[in-house]
Amino acid sequence: MTELVLTPWRRDRAATLRLYVGFVRLAFLKFLAYRLRYYTGVVSYTVFVAGNAYLYRALYASRPEAAGAEIGGLTLAEMITYIAVAWIGRSFTFNNIDRMLAMQVQQGEIAMQLIKPLHPQTVMLFEAVGEAAFRLLLFTLPIMVVVVPLFDIHGPPDPALYGWTLLSFAMALVLGSQLNFVVGCLAFDLKNINGVIRAKHISLDFLSGVLIPFTFFPGWFQTLVAWLPFQGLSYVPVTIYLGKRTGGDLWLALALQALWAVALFLFGRLMWNRAMRRVTLQGG
Amino acid sequence: MAPLITVQRLTKDYHLTDRREGVLGGMVDLVRPQKRMLRAVDDVSFTIDPGEMVGYIGANGAGKSTTIKMLTGILTPTSGEVRVGGLVPYRQRQSYTRHIGVVFGQRTQLWWDLAVVESFRLLQRIYEVPEARYREQMTFFNELLGIDEFLHQPVRKLSLGQRMRCDLAAALLHEPRVLFLDEPTIGLDVVAKENVRGFLRQAREQLGVTVILTTHDLTDIEQLCRRIIIIDHGKVMYNGLLEDLRRGPGHKLRLCLDLAEPVAPAELQAACAHLPVEWAETEGADRTPVLRHCALFSRSETNAATILAAVLAAHRLRDMALTEPAIEDVVRRIYREGLVPAPEALG
């Protein structure tokens, strides 16, 4: 019928790279505009680590026979390091992709994403990287500056573990952002997902290991969480830092983390494509 | 010339959930929701040629926005087909959106918290606009829209008029083949509306972009579009030239005559008895002489010259005014009566 005048079009690799660097940069700038919000965050993260540190000090002290010994496979010093590193890591990997996506769906703003030759999932992933870069510089570092000397946090037993911990937290960032994307996609069906998000936060505090190390829990729980993706958010990088994973164990943990990140990315694609096929966008 | 946009038997159904009344009704809703189907767009077909600027109009809820969303690839139709330059918008979204620009008057595609220029720079990367072309385009936009003065302001601090100017420029930066405008003048003041219209005229001339425009402000249509498509309850009510719609038999021109001396309406009407003319009611009785008389007639039946000749044969005229039917009246009649007043103009 119609003569073909619009050519199918694909971006070449260099342009794609430039583009996604652009999204990282823009997200960084966007959060920079709201940097004041994060100053209070430094205080609340410090308070949280402090609260937990004193809690565990009391717990370890209540067992005089175990003075200097381990509870759940961790000494008191390791325990406090666990908490501090977990929360420092969380301050870096955390984002609100689920909330943002839900808001865009509710208000119909998602339409503005669909009129551009981009995939919103990929865009959000790179924006999460930009946000994390901002957090690292203006949130995580200040928290470290306060928390590390305050609670006398030591480095990992082997300096090489710094690198593996960083890599693992970087994967935690990808994994977490994809998990949030999947949760955000629920808004296409449910419209309001505030309850889901709250439930997610509470369960993740346990299932990621950020609140309490898994070794404090019964065996069946440890087996369960080992097969779930959530340990990759916190438990895996923190135990790497503590030197609890060596050799094959380390590789397996990292591989599993990467596998889950990819699986959640693909699941997100699936959710998104399904939503695009059948969902009604709000507003007119 | 082959059409650029072909829309064939396009239909979109929405599934709505009705809520029952009261607490009890709410409980029943939980168990047995009342589902209902709404056909927002119903068997719509039309074509648009390259370079055309077409007005797509209809009352609130008529199906305008739903059609635009299917044309822009945001929504998948229930049935029917859209082809734009050989591409199917909702199937080849990534390829397709490279070639279109979209402005939704109620939303913005700019990054809310950042300076306007950051959005333009990112759009440059998204659409791979070469640096030299980017500069040319920005100069062009600045000449017509004066956007340089707030290029370094965050979008959230712009007035609606400024934001709309930026959104228009953003939609055209990558020189799209088709521009979709969904209520681009909504909420703007008279001057800002005039700016937007002026810009659209220039942009079409210089960039040769095909434009589809929805609006509730019919002045936009009168000033910009030769052809209009009127949609109501999801169906096309009219598709043709604005001019033909106006000249249709249902739409009367108004010829007002100011005579030199007062004349009784009955007397004047007798002078034109042989002509197909209606006379607008005048104050007072038929017999009271007045100065002003207004005749309503249809272009297809007679013309102003014939009426004037008949009047001048018997009376002296001081002044006269001929008024076209207001486009608002014409469209209102179509919304209300569903008339298609000019069958010969149907495309």
Side-chain angles (χ1 to χ4, degrees):
Chain A
M1 273 290 288
T2 317
E3 66 176 310
L4 186 106
V5 290
L6 302 184
T7 44
W9 172 84
R10 280 220 160 262
R11 219 175 266 117
D12 69 53
R13 211 165 273 174
T16 309
L17 190 71
R18 264 201 309 281
L19 174 63
Y20 288 125
V21 170
F23 278 111
V24 172
R25 185 177 157 275
L26 218 59
F28 186 89
L29 287 175
K30 189 171 96 184
F31 282 93
L32 202 62
Y34 290 109
R35 61 191 171 281
L36 291 178
R37 273 186 208 170
Y38 290 83
Y39 293 160
T40 49
V42 175
V43 177
S44 55
Y45 269 67
T46 309
V47 168
F48 200 88
V49 173
N52 274 275
Y54 288 115
L55 185 75
Y56 283 109
R57 270 182 198 163
L59 180 70
Y60 278 76
S62 71
R63 290 218 192 158
E65 78 282 1
E70 300 178 341
I71 300 181
L74 297 170
T75 64
L76 178 60
E78 281 178 331
M79 188 63 228
I80 289 172
T81 305
Y82 183 101
I83 294 298
V85 174
W87 284 86
I88 286 168
R90 187 186 191 270
S91 73
F92 164 67
T93 59
F94 186 89
N95 59 52
N96 277 320
I97 287 180
D98 43 5
R99 200 176 294 275
M100 305 280 205
L101 182 54
M103 227 159 67
Q104 289 190 10
V105 172
Q106 276 170 28
Q107 297 170 357
E109 287 295 327
I110 197 77
M112 302 315 287
Q113 307 262 350
L114 295 173
I115 57 167
K116 297 190 183 96
L118 296 167
H119 199 296
Q121 187 187 18
T122 322
V123 170
M124 284 183 200
L125 174 61
F126 283 92
E127 282 178 341
V129 173
E131 176 177 354
F134 160 80
R135 284 173 163 270
L136 186 65
L137 278 177
L138 286 125
F139 193 43
T140 305
L141 277 179
I143 292 173
M144 283 168 78
V145 165
V146 177
V147 166
V148 169
L150 208 57
F151 299 98
D152 191 25
I153 307 299
H154 292 283
D158 175 0
L161 291 178
Y162 274 121
W164 294 120
T165 309
L166 271 179
L167 175 70
S168 187
F169 270 124
M171 284 203 287
L173 166 67
V174 176
L175 198 156
S177 71
Q178 294 317 296
L179 182 66
N180 286 345
F181 183 81
V182 167
V183 171
C185 279
L186 294 175
F188 284 111
D189 288 310
L190 304 175
K191 300 295 175 244
N192 189 329
I193 59 163
N194 288 343
V196 177
I197 291 175
R198 203 166 308 135
K200 184 205 78 173
H201 281 313
I202 294 170
S203 18
L204 276 191
D205 278 350
F206 283 99
L207 295 174
S208 71
V210 74
L211 211 56
I212 305 164
F214 292 152
T215 47
F216 278 54
F217 289 105
W220 65 266
F221 184 85
Q222 294 187 38
T223 319
L224 174 74
V225 290
W227 290 104
L228 294 178
F230 314 113
Q231 63 164 352
L233 294 173
S234 218
Y235 189 68
V236 171
V238 177
T239 45
I240 289 175
Y241 182 90
L242 287 173
K244 299 288 173 189
R245 292 170 193 273
T246 46
D249 229 21
L250 175 67
W251 288 110
L252 187 69
L254 289 171
L256 212 60
Q257 218 186 354
L259 208 67
W260 270 118
V262 172
L264 282 169
F265 177 84
L266 293 176
F267 188 59
R269 273 279 136 123
L270 215 69
M271 295 270 290
W272 178 266
N273 291 342
R274 177 180 156 276
M276 286 303 104
R277 271 198 306 276
R278 54 177 293 273
V279 150
T280 307
L281 293 160
Q282 303 271 299
Chain B
M1 187 159 43
L4 179 65
I5 300 175
T6 313
V7 174
Q8 270 180 317
R9 314 211 62 175
L10 191 66
T11 299
K12 179 72 190 181
D13 295 333
Y14 288 129
H15 293 276
L16 301 180
T17 317
D18 286 331
R19 306 281 160 143
R20 294 179 180 87
E21 216 175 307
V23 177
L24 204 65
M27 302 301 277
V28 178
D29 277 341
L30 291 178
V31 190
R32 277 186 56 194
Q34 281 181 306
K35 298 250 183 181
R36 184 162 62 90
M37 199 194 72
L38 175 79
R39 183 150 285 187
V41 173
D42 190 0
D43 201 16
V44 165
S45 302
F46 59 82
T47 61
I48 290 170
D49 288 335
E52 265 195 291
M53 187 171 318
V54 176
Y56 195 70
I57 57 182
N60 287 322
K64 295 187 305 286
S65 288
T66 305
T67 312
I68 295 288
K69 280 176 183 161
M70 287 190 281
L71 287 174
T72 49
I74 295 172
L75 277 183
T76 309
T78 307
S79 65
E81 199 186 48
V82 179
R83 274 185 177 272
V84 183
L87 298 177
V88 180
Y90 38 89
R91 265 189 231 126
Q92 291 146 291
R93 199 180 64 77
Q94 294 252 7
S95 272
Y96 175 65
T97 46
R98 170 65 186 80
H99 301 289
I100 63 165
V102 185
V103 175
F104 290 120
Q106 319 235 39
R107 310 189 185 285
T108 179
Q109 63 162 315
L110 307 166
W111 278 260
W112 194 245
D113 303 306
L114 298 174
V116 178
V117 65
E118 299 289 351
S119 291
F120 280 105
R121 281 298 181 183
L122 191 70
L123 290 169
Q124 182 194 1
R125 288 189 197 193
I126 291 175
Y127 297 105
E128 301 179 296
V129 181
E131 182 62 26
R133 192 72 196 111
Y134 173 84
R135 286 179 189 282
E136 276 171 38
Q137 286 284 84
M138 292 307 278
T139 311
F140 172 65
F141 295 143
N142 187 47
E143 274 168 20
L144 291 175
L145 296 166
I147 55 175
D148 272 3
E149 55 176 306
F150 40 81
L151 217 46
H152 293 275
Q153 297 257 316
V155 175
R156 67 187 137 84
K157 292 204 175 154
L158 301 185
S159 73
L160 188 60
Q162 290 172 331
R163 206 213 72 209
M164 184 49 63
R165 283 188 263 168
C166 291
D167 258 305
L168 282 168
L172 285 167
L173 180 70
H174 55 291
E175 298 172 81
R177 296 295 301 269
V178 192
L179 177 64
F180 295 94
L181 301 165
D182 196 2
E183 303 186 24
T185 56
I186 196 164
L188 299 185
D189 65 46
V190 184
V191 179
K193 277 184 180 179
E194 205 41 63
N195 284 339
V196 167
R197 291 174 196 139
F199 172 72
L200 289 175
R201 266 192 296 267
Q202 289 272 346
R204 194 175 75 114
E205 252 168 53
Q206 302 220 3
L207 306 173
V209 62
T210 306
V211 183
I212 296 183
L213 166 77
T214 84
T215 181
H216 287 297
D217 186 338
L218 294 166
T219 319
D220 292 345
I221 301 285
E222 278 187 297
Q223 295 194 0
L224 295 171
C225 305
R226 278 191 69 222
R227 179 149 77 100
I228 58 171
I229 296 169
I230 301 180
I231 183 172
D232 198 36
H233 293 101
K235 284 184 186 297
V236 174
M237 307 300 290
Y238 179 81
N239 174 1
L241 298 181
L242 186 61
E243 199 52 36
D244 289 343
L245 187 62
R246 268 207 180 128
R247 285 168 186 262
H251 304 292
K252 308 271 184 181
L253 273 77
R254 188 184 182 92
L255 177 66
C256 285
L257 306 165
D258 284 330
L259 301 179
E261 296 98 22
V263 173
E267 199 183 324
L268 191 72
Q269 284 164 24
C272 300
H274 59 291
L275 296 172
V277 173
E278 270 174 53
W279 292 90
E281 280 180 36
T282 38
E283 293 156 46
D286 256 9
R287 301 267 152 218
T288 318
V290 288
L291 285 174
R292 166 163 279 218
H293 303 266
C294 289
L296 299 169
F297 67 96
S298 170
R299 268 210 177 104
S300 57
E301 292 167 352
T302 182
N303 55 54
T306 313
I307 299 169
L308 276 176
V311 172
L312 286 171
H315 306 283
R316 282 199 305 132
L317 187 65
R318 196 189 318 154
D319 207 352
M320 55 155 283
L322 182 63
T323 327
E324 294 269 348
I327 184 71
E328 275 86 359
D329 294 336
V330 176
V331 171
R332 193 180 303 127
R333 186 181 297 204
I334 291 176
Y335 288 173
R336 200 174 47 216
E337 300 168 23
L339 291 178
V340 181
E344 74 274 12
L346 276 173

